[in-house]
Amino acid sequence: MVELNAMSRAELHAWLAGVLAEMFELDRASLTPQSNLYTDLDIDSIDAVDLAVKLKQLTGQGLRPEVFKSIRTLDDIVAALAAARQTV
């Protein structure tokens, strides 16, 4: 399991970019904090659910549904993961 508490936001972003690149065959170098999951990366709702499941498997922490629904960019995911690690 990935230990989120030991990571800075920059490290979280780099780790997340790696996860996204692997899962969706994306160019890791093109993934920025502002990359929009839906318009820039062509991730659909089923892919987003797969991502949420993968993140829970890798971190042991799930994102609340209301948080998950509001995520649009990589930075949104990093912020949600950072907030989740503080509630554990």
Side-chain angles (χ1 to χ4, degrees), residues 5-79:
N5 291 329
M7 292 184 181
S8 68
R9 281 184 71 107
E11 290 168 329
L12 271 172
H13 179 271
W15 173 77
L16 178 61
V19 170
L20 287 167
E22 182 180 318
M23 283 185 73
F24 303 111
E25 299 177 2
L26 300 169
D27 176 16
R28 187 176 179 163
S30 70
L31 301 175
T32 68
Q34 296 78 29
S35 295
N36 186 292
L37 298 174
Y38 307 104
T39 59
D40 298 333
L41 306 180
D42 201 27
I43 291 175
D44 63 25
S45 59
I46 294 171
D47 291 335
V49 170
D50 290 343
L51 176 60
V53 169
K54 182 74 165 182
L55 291 174
K56 182 168 183 167
Q57 290 172 344
L58 293 173
T59 66
Q61 299 176 16
L63 299 177
R64 294 186 327 263
E66 62 273 11
V67 171
F68 180 71
K69 288 179 187 176
S70 69
I71 289 174
R72 298 289 177 260
T73 66
L74 266 65
D75 197 49
D76 292 342
I77 299 172
V78 169

